[in-house]
Amino acid sequence: MKAHIETQNELKNFSDLIQPISIEEFENNYWEKRFLHIPRDNPDFFSSLFSIEDLDKVLEYNRPQGSSLKVVKSNQPMNPSIYENKDESLNLNQLYVAYADGYSILINGIQRYWNPIKVLLENIRKQISHDLSANLYLTPENEKAFSPHYDSHDVFAIQISGKKHWILYDDARFKTPLLNSYQPTFQREQLTNATEITMCAGDILYIPRGVPHEAYTTDKSSMHITIGIQSTQWIDFITKSLLSVSQKYIGLRKALPIGFLRSDHDNLLSDELQLE
């Protein structure tokens, strides 16, 4: 689609994030259907949300550690003992050395460390009624963190600075997987119908769950944030509804017959369930 030039960059809610696409258009044409790339020709579009300078503050003062911080290169994570001190505090010098050696720095749950991101996610949650979380990726030039893979949750990638090149594969075999299900990695030759996209600062990319993809940098480093949508699925709604109903009807709480897996119980599910 044509680049959207926007000077107002204060992000308050989901509508601001996907402008000029309306929520109705997004739901009808893209949600769980196909990817959406919105180029903006405005490198400062996300400046009120986060910046390289803000990352320095998070690392210096918040010092994420453990599962909140990962250092990865070509799908291989670095041993945390290299960039963590004995007291598990963050060794910033070693972290910067790792970045200079081609490792990407990942901060999981970045909303826990930066209030503008936290507020935006809270407002989006109110609009779309699904849970969200955000991760930050800082990747040096001519590197990539992960091989082709798909996520079991929907993703909005927002480019904060630099450039990142994405390859998305139109492979229906993996469409809409269950949330938190197994997420395999692939070789490129296993996937079909590649679409290449270059993300510049200010751009946003929506990737439905189950769409295989990969991302890498070339001559410029990149910092982007992914907003993951932890959708409430119909199976979740049905499961919780049945649990609620079972509190009232004892028939749903009773055990299946002894030996119910034997062949003489083949008609078990065909009989009408009697609720008491």
Side-chain angles (χ1 to χ4, degrees):
M1 62 183 299
K2 283 187 177 182
H4 175 60
I5 301 175
E6 178 61 61
T7 56
Q8 167 63 32
N9 61 352
E10 184 178 1
L11 301 176
K12 297 180 179 178
N13 51 43
F14 188 51
S15 302
D16 294 337
L17 189 69
I18 64 172
Q19 59 178 279
I21 301 296
S22 68
I23 295 178
E24 182 180 14
E25 181 182 356
F26 174 76
E27 183 173 21
N28 291 338
N29 298 326
Y30 299 101
W31 178 240
E32 295 191 317
K33 298 180 180 71
R34 58 194 177 104
F35 73 85
L36 169 65
H37 175 216
I38 303 177
R40 291 201 169 97
D41 281 352
N42 180 8
D44 296 322
F45 187 84
F46 294 115
S47 61
S48 66
L49 187 67
F50 203 75
S51 68
I52 285 285
E53 293 75 19
D54 296 332
L55 176 60
D56 288 336
K57 295 174 185 176
V58 168
L59 292 174
E60 177 69 30
Y61 300 113
N62 298 96
R63 302 209 170 198
Q65 60 187 46
S67 61
S68 296
L69 180 69
K70 292 184 179 180
V71 181
V72 181
K73 181 179 181 180
S74 299
N75 235 44
Q76 297 300 317
M78 176 179 283
N79 190 318
S81 63
I82 297 175
Y83 54 85
E84 287 185 356
N85 298 313
K86 290 183 178 181
D87 62 357
E88 296 185 349
S89 62
L90 197 58
N91 187 321
L92 291 179
N93 289 333
Q94 289 300 319
L95 191 64
Y96 294 142
V97 168
Y99 178 78
D101 286 341
Y103 281 83
S104 294
I105 297 174
L106 284 63
I107 301 179
N108 294 318
I110 185 68
Q111 75 277 1
R112 293 175 293 168
Y113 306 107
W114 200 250
N115 196 59
I117 299 176
K118 177 183 177 182
V119 171
L120 177 63
L121 263 58
E122 288 174 347
N123 291 339
I124 293 175
R125 185 180 293 111
K126 292 175 184 177
Q127 280 188 287
I128 70 173
S129 301
H130 294 286
D131 287 334
L132 308 95
S133 61
N135 300 330
L136 180 138
Y137 298 77
L138 178 68
T139 303
E141 60 186 39
N142 298 309
E143 292 293 346
K144 71 174 183 177
F146 298 108
S147 300
H149 65 283
Y150 68 74
D151 295 307
S152 65
H153 56 272
D154 295 74
V155 170
F156 286 93
I158 59 178
Q159 191 70 28
I160 302 297
S161 65
K163 289 186 178 181
K164 199 151 199 180
H165 304 277
W166 293 74
I167 305 177
L168 294 89
Y169 300 91
D170 183 15
D171 200 321
R173 289 177 295 169
F174 314 108
K175 186 176 177 61
T176 318
L178 281 171
L179 195 67
N180 299 320
S181 60
Y182 174 65
Q183 299 170 225
T185 57
F186 305 96
Q187 299 297 319
R188 286 183 178 178
E189 55 269 20
Q190 296 177 277
L191 301 168
T192 59
N193 301 323
T195 298
E196 298 195 30
I197 293 172
T198 297
M199 291 275 286
C200 300
D203 291 2
I204 188 169
L205 175 64
Y206 165 70
I207 306 175
R209 55 187 161 134
V211 173
H213 58 274
E214 58 179 310
Y216 60 95
T217 57
T218 52
D219 60 337
K220 290 184 179 295
S221 61
S222 165
M223 184 170 71
H224 78 276
I225 293 173
T226 62
I227 298 177
I229 312 295
Q230 310 293 325
S231 305
T232 298
Q233 306 159 110
W234 278 105
I235 185 63
D236 303 320
F237 177 78
I238 292 170
T239 300
K240 291 179 180 179
S241 297
L242 282 173
L243 286 172
S244 179
V245 171
S246 70
Q247 300 301 314
K248 180 177 181 181
Y249 296 103
I250 192 173
L252 288 174
R253 305 197 302 272
K254 287 185 175 181
L256 292 173
I258 291 176
F260 68 92
L261 293 178
R262 297 198 313 264
S263 59
D264 56 338
H265 282 295
D266 283 347
N267 64 346
L268 178 67
L269 296 180
S270 64
D271 292 338
E272 183 177 350
L273 179 64
Q274 297 295 320
L275 299 180
E276 300 177 8

